[in-house]
Amino acid sequence: MAPRGKSDRRVEPSFEGSRDSSDFRIDADERIVGNGRPVKRAPKQASEEPAPRSRGKKARRARKSGGLFGPIRRLIYWCFVLGIWAGIGVGGLVLYYGAQMPAASTWAIPDRPPNMKITAIDGSVIANRGSTGGEALALEEMSPYLPQAVIAIEDRRFYSHFGVDPFGLARAFVNNLTGQPIQGGSTITQQLAKNLFLSPERTFERKIQEVLLSFWLETKFTKDQILAMYLNRVFFGSNAYGVEAASRRYFNKSARDVNLGEAATLAGLLKAPSRLSPARHPEAAEARAQVVLGAMREEGFVTDSDLKTAMSQPPAKAKSYWSGAQHYAADMVMDEVKTLIGEPKADVVVETTIDLRLEEAAEKALNTILTKEGAKLNASQAALVSVDATGAIRAVVGGRDYAQSQFNRAAKAKRQPGSAFKPFVYAAALEAGALPDTVMNDAPVKIGNWSPENYDQKFRGPVTIASALAQSLNTVAAQLANQVGPDKVVSLAHRLGIDSEIQPNASIALGTSEVSLVELTASYAAFMNGGYKATPHIVKRISDMDGKVLYEADYTNPPRVLSEPVAATMNSMMNRVINEGTGKAARLDGWQAAGKSGTTQSFRDALFVGYTSIMTTGIWFGNDDGAYMKKVTGGGLPARAWKDYMTVAMKGYSPTPLFGTGRSLELPPPAPVEQQPEQSIGDFLSGILPGGGTRRNEPAPDEYPPAPPRPVQDSASIEPPVSRNRAAPAPARIYPDEPVYQARPEPNYRRTYGDVVPPADVGGRRDYREYREYREPYDAPVPVAPAGARRGPIPPGEVGVVDNYPEGRRTTLFDILMGE
């Protein structure tokens, strides 16, 4: 068989050790291409030597590491990867917490808590009351420095961002990861969202919800609207929410009027309201204000000149707490408004009867005397209330310092009035038939188990009741109360305006039942105004921010509670108290005044209540714990304070006489003591034996002097008398030419705010609901002295165990010998 060709020959691989396996390689010139034939390259030059093996490894490592920029490229790469995963995680959290929130279509700005703006009679602001402490202002109403200062220190990019500052948000995120509290980085929009909707807790959930709400606010409102809402709701410390409340709290002025330095102080408070408060830490507040001013200069809000002027101003000083007597009045307004219209649901304006000039004078009068003599005489507190003829409260001071004690001693404290209650006893005696010159015996008297004594423990014998009132004789007042009847005295006191419960006991004449200073003072006003009830009130009108009237007081048609002769007589008698009696310290230059002092047992309380033809004022001195003062009487400190205050209060008024004591209206002087005629033996024996003889009296005048003419009143404006409590026939007219004044019936007035029924026009004028109910016997006819009663009080039936002698009997020698 012929041998095969060379091409058919099989070549087996060789594993001989003569050739190193590492040398087995295919060069580039031995590659097989196309037709399977190897392609040979040109032979290498002799100079081209293969590179060392180690150099190839370094090259491979260099290519693998990426060279000099490899680490940077890898850092960018992993940052990008981590950013994607972080975005996915944050997106998941946003979706998770966002799903737990209500639908955005249901989101709405919550109503701002209602504010009660309380104004004085001249329209000036007394105080703001409510949970915010101030009214809301439009951005245009505020001082321009306020929004500029807040933006400069809180959110410089406020007008350029979309509600969230990414850098600030990232910083807060990192702080939370490292265990630090989330702080800083929040925009004004985020802070508003937190204040409006969220709790103050610092969690991821709250932060994410805050961001979502910020986006919603930015799409729903303009930047100016967001800034205005923020400035009217943000907390500035000391219970002040909003710039208006803070401005009045720290600077006692409106946010409309703050200057550059004050605006910087307020803006600085936002970082830490308690720690930077000018009321607690004025140095820290000033330092922070300087930082705010620097930020405002950097932003171009102020010039170097403005900055220099602001920094040269003295630091803002604020009192630690609300202070000023006007806040006692504001607290009274709060209580009364709730009884008039219920709890307000929106901002309201309450116009009061307070005169800030008188309020300041009252506070000064009390504090001046307490500062000079309070410690020496152990008198630590005082109160004052001043009303006009209708009962409108013109000034009220509830204590020495509102910042130390907010308890209103004029309205809420009830204390024994002492002898200041005696005018009600004497007025009841006049209604029973007594006259100013009726003679009573100032001598030891025993009523049941009670033996009243005079202040000086002396007795003056026979005295007229006018003199007894001027000298504040306890024995005479006790006898009068016993003769007239305690129940009659209680009835008259209630009729004049005492609302507190009064015990009809024998000691009522000495003021042993507790009353408030407000009701006692308003009751005296019935003497001043000629016999009409003066209902104490401090609220004049309530309206909403749109000007709609929700309530308006109307006391132009009060009920008559005293006849004119009784009112005129009481004015004359109490005028003697000031001219020649226990109230001499209260004399006013150029003014006719009347009043009565009162001192309780062991000098616990001292009062003086007095009036001119214009105003009635009551003042109390004492201690909250009932501690004894050092012989302070009503004719002492209270009477002097009354004079100081009334001297200021009467400025601007023309002096006019008291009702019934003016020209041609002087009451007759006390009857002169008659000379005893020569006595026969029969007269002598009748003076020894009990039951004999009668007291001779000077004939009384036929009638009281005529009262001054009443002001002309349009008959169309007078409503027919209708009882408030029950249907009753109209009482007989006391004077034929005058109407009988009585309380009007309760109109249909719903208290719910927002469902207020405007008072209807009645008879050409508006009839408004009164907030105090007239109690019986206010609707009863006014008692009138019986015709022909001229010889003393009419004795009632036996009261207690005291003897009630027949009318006209006088004390005999036998009575004296028997100790009766």
Side-chain angles (χ1 to χ4, degrees):
M1 188 174 188
R4 295 181 179 181
K6 187 176 181 179
S7 60
D8 296 330
R9 192 174 180 179
R10 181 179 180 183
V11 180
E12 297 290 339
S14 174
F15 298 97
E16 294 180 358
S18 60
R19 188 175 179 179
D20 193 358
S21 61
S22 60
D23 293 334
F24 178 76
R25 60 182 178 273
I26 299 175
D27 295 331
D29 55 356
E30 297 179 345
R31 290 182 299 172
I32 299 175
V33 297
N35 55 9
R37 297 179 181 178
V39 178
K40 292 185 178 289
R41 296 178 60 186
K44 297 180 180 180
Q45 301 294 330
S47 60
E48 294 182 5
E49 297 181 357
R53 192 175 301 172
S54 60
R55 184 176 177 180
K57 292 180 179 179
K58 290 180 179 180
R60 286 195 298 271
R61 284 198 298 269
R63 286 193 300 269
K64 186 176 182 181
S65 63
L68 179 62
F69 297 101
I72 298 176
R73 287 197 296 268
R74 285 197 300 273
L75 178 62
I76 295 174
Y77 170 78
W78 286 111
C79 286
F80 180 74
V81 172
L82 291 176
I84 293 175
W85 283 108
I88 294 174
V90 171
L93 289 174
V94 170
L95 291 175
Y96 174 75
Y97 289 120
Q100 299 182 12
M101 297 178 64
S105 59
T106 63
W107 295 356
I109 299 296
D111 293 333
R112 186 175 183 268
N115 177 71
M116 188 183 299
K117 181 181 177 181
I118 303 171
T119 64
I121 196 171
D122 61 353
S124 57
V125 177
I126 295 176
N128 286 276
R129 286 291 187 268
S131 57
T132 58
E135 63 179 315
L137 298 180
L139 199 63
E140 297 78 13
E141 294 180 280
M142 303 176 191
S143 167
Y145 296 123
L146 278 169
Q148 293 172 356
V150 171
I151 290 175
I153 198 65
E154 289 293 314
D155 189 1
R156 300 188 182 189
R157 298 178 57 249
F158 172 71
Y159 280 101
S160 60
H161 62 61
F162 50 89
V164 175
D165 183 358
F167 296 102
L169 192 61
R171 181 171 62 251
F173 179 79
V174 173
N175 287 342
N176 191 70
L177 286 179
T178 56
Q180 300 178 11
I182 299 177
Q183 59 182 359
S186 295
T187 64
I188 288 177
T189 309
Q190 288 177 264
Q191 295 180 49
L192 177 62
K194 178 180 65 177
N195 292 336
L196 291 177
F197 302 105
L198 304 175
S199 64
E201 59 182 350
R202 299 180 175 185
T203 62
F204 269 126
E205 179 180 4
R206 189 201 64 83
K207 200 68 180 178
I208 291 172
Q209 292 175 347
E210 178 183 300
V211 171
L212 295 176
L213 290 168
S214 299
F215 291 155
W216 177 78
L217 287 172
E218 289 282 341
T219 58
K220 193 78 173 178
F221 303 97
T222 65
K223 288 287 188 179
D224 285 347
Q225 290 174 325
I226 292 173
L227 183 58
M229 284 190 288
Y230 176 77
L231 292 174
N232 280 308
R233 296 175 185 248
V234 67
F235 180 58
F236 286 91
S238 299
N239 288 331
Y241 290 83
V243 290
E244 176 68 7
S247 179
R248 292 195 178 276
R249 169 64 184 84
Y250 297 118
F251 311 125
N252 196 27
K253 63 170 63 174
S254 173
R256 302 173 178 87
D257 306 320
V258 296
N259 57 35
L260 177 57
E262 292 165 343
T265 302
L266 292 179
L269 281 170
L270 298 176
K271 181 179 181 181
S274 298
R275 182 168 55 86
L276 300 175
S277 170
R280 298 181 180 180
H281 307 286
E283 296 82 7
E286 176 64 16
R288 179 64 175 173
Q290 299 291 338
V291 175
V292 175
L293 289 172
M296 295 179 70
R297 179 65 188 91
E298 293 177 5
E299 291 299 306
F301 291 135
V302 295
T303 63
D304 291 333
S305 176
D306 296 334
L307 187 64
K308 183 178 179 180
T309 302
M311 288 187 171
S312 63
Q313 294 174 346
K317 294 181 179 180
K319 295 184 178 181
S320 300
Y321 304 96
W322 287 111
S323 61
Q326 69 270 19
H327 293 291
Y328 288 113
D331 291 345
M332 289 181 65
V333 170
M334 284 282 291
D335 295 337
E336 291 202 9
V337 166
K338 292 177 182 178
T339 66
L340 294 172
I341 64 172
E343 195 73 34
K345 300 298 187 297
D347 287 3
V348 295
V349 178
V350 183
E351 301 174 43
T352 72
T353 60
I354 292 294
D355 187 333
L356 286 180
R357 179 183 69 91
L358 301 184
E359 192 76 14
E360 182 180 352
E363 184 177 24
K364 182 179 179 181
L366 297 185
N367 283 324
T368 298
I369 290 183
L370 283 174
T371 302
K372 290 182 178 179
E373 303 182 52
K376 179 176 64 176
L377 299 177
N378 194 34
S380 62
Q381 283 292 349
L384 178 149
V385 62
S386 190
V387 303
D388 66 11
T390 67
I393 297 176
R394 298 303 183 191
V396 59
V397 180
R400 184 173 189 173
D401 187 353
Y402 183 85
Q404 295 181 357
S405 173
Q406 292 79 49
F407 180 69
N408 192 333
R409 295 156 186 82
K412 295 184 178 180
K414 292 190 176 183
R415 293 181 172 85
Q416 294 180 353
S419 295
F421 192 82
K422 288 178 181 177
F424 305 117
V425 177
Y426 283 83
L430 293 177
E431 288 185 344
L435 289 175
D437 60 351
T438 299
V439 177
M440 300 291 292
N441 191 23
D442 178 23
V445 62
K446 188 174 183 179
I447 303 176
N449 296 324
W450 176 54
S451 299
E453 294 182 350
N454 295 324
Y455 168 74
D456 57 5
Q457 297 183 341
K458 297 179 181 179
F459 302 97
R460 293 158 180 80
V463 294
T464 63
I465 65 172
S467 296
L469 179 61
Q471 301 301 323
S472 194
L473 301 181
N474 294 337
T475 59
V476 174
Q479 293 177 66
L480 285 175
N482 183 53
Q483 291 177 353
V484 174
D487 56 333
K488 299 294 184 182
V489 177
V490 172
S491 176
L492 183 138
H494 282 319
R495 196 190 332 140
L496 266 63
I498 298 294
D499 291 330
S500 299
E501 182 180 359
I502 304 175
Q503 298 297 328
N505 50 35
S507 63
I508 188 176
L510 305 189
T512 54
S513 292
E514 296 179 341
V515 298
S516 71
L517 185 62
V518 169
E519 58 185 335
L520 181 65
T521 304
S523 298
Y524 271 60
F527 301 122
M528 174 189 71
N529 64 26
Y532 295 96
K533 188 177 190 303
T535 302
H537 60 283
I538 196 170
V539 175
K540 179 181 177 182
R541 185 181 295 108
I542 306 174
S543 57
D544 60 18
M545 301 309 293
D546 296 329
K548 178 184 178 182
V549 176
L550 308 178
Y551 167 83
E552 185 166 7
D554 182 11
Y555 295 95
T556 58
N557 192 25
R560 175 173 283 283
V561 292
L562 283 178
S563 65
E564 288 187 351
V566 171
T569 304
M570 288 302 302
N571 288 340
S572 177
M573 292 169 64
M574 282 195 282
N575 176 242
R576 292 184 59 182
V577 174
I578 290 181
N579 288 339
E580 59 188 71
T582 58
K584 292 179 181 178
R587 292 176 181 171
L588 288 177
D589 294 337
W591 282 87
Q592 191 179 33
K596 186 68 184 75
S597 59
T599 309
T600 61
Q601 190 174 11
S602 302
F603 305 99
R604 292 176 182 270
D605 306 282
L607 303 94
F608 186 85
V609 184
Y611 53 90
T612 64
S613 58
I614 304 296
M615 196 169 298
T616 303
T617 300
I619 295 179
W620 165 86
F621 275 78
N623 297 293
D624 288 337
D625 58 359
Y628 306 151
M629 293 182 289
K630 296 180 180 179
K631 295 187 177 181
V632 176
T633 65
L637 299 185
R640 287 160 49 194
W642 187 91
K643 177 181 180 180
D644 294 342
Y645 164 74
M646 291 293 284
T647 299
V648 177
M650 292 299 99
K651 287 183 178 179
Y653 292 99
S654 298
T656 52
L658 293 171
F659 174 81
T661 61
R663 177 169 48 87
S664 74
L665 292 175
E666 293 290 344
L667 293 174
V673 179
E674 65 180 34
Q675 298 294 329
Q676 293 292 336
E678 295 182 1
Q679 291 183 330
S680 64
I681 186 65
D683 296 331
F684 178 75
L685 291 177
S686 66
I688 296 177
L689 298 177
T694 58
R695 177 171 57 87
R696 296 184 181 180
N697 292 317
E698 288 290 328
D702 293 337
E703 60 182 359
Y704 284 94
R710 298 180 65 255
V712 178
Q713 191 171 10
D714 184 7
S715 59
S717 66
I718 301 175
E719 296 181 353
V722 180
S723 172
R724 176 183 289 272
N725 298 319
R726 58 193 174 123
R733 294 177 181 269
I734 302 167
Y735 301 99
D737 60 344
E738 71 171 8
V740 176
Y741 293 97
Q742 289 185 319
R744 293 185 300 279
E746 180 85 13
N748 183 15
Y749 186 98
R750 292 195 290 273
R751 294 171 178 264
T752 306
Y753 190 95
D755 191 23
V756 175
V757 179
D761 288 334
V762 179
R765 66 178 185 81
R766 303 183 72 81
D767 187 10
Y768 296 96
R769 185 178 70 90
E770 293 183 4
Y771 67 96
R772 290 181 183 269
E773 297 289 342
Y774 288 126
R775 299 186 296 123
E776 295 289 345
Y778 298 156
D779 293 336
V782 178
V784 181
R790 289 291 183 269
R791 292 174 299 188
I794 299 175
E798 290 191 1
V799 179
V801 295
V802 68
D803 291 333
N804 292 297
Y805 296 112
E807 191 174 8
R809 184 187 185 282
R810 65 182 177 87
T811 303
T812 65
L813 177 61
F814 182 83
D815 297 327
I816 297 175
L817 293 176
M818 295 300 295
E820 297 182 359

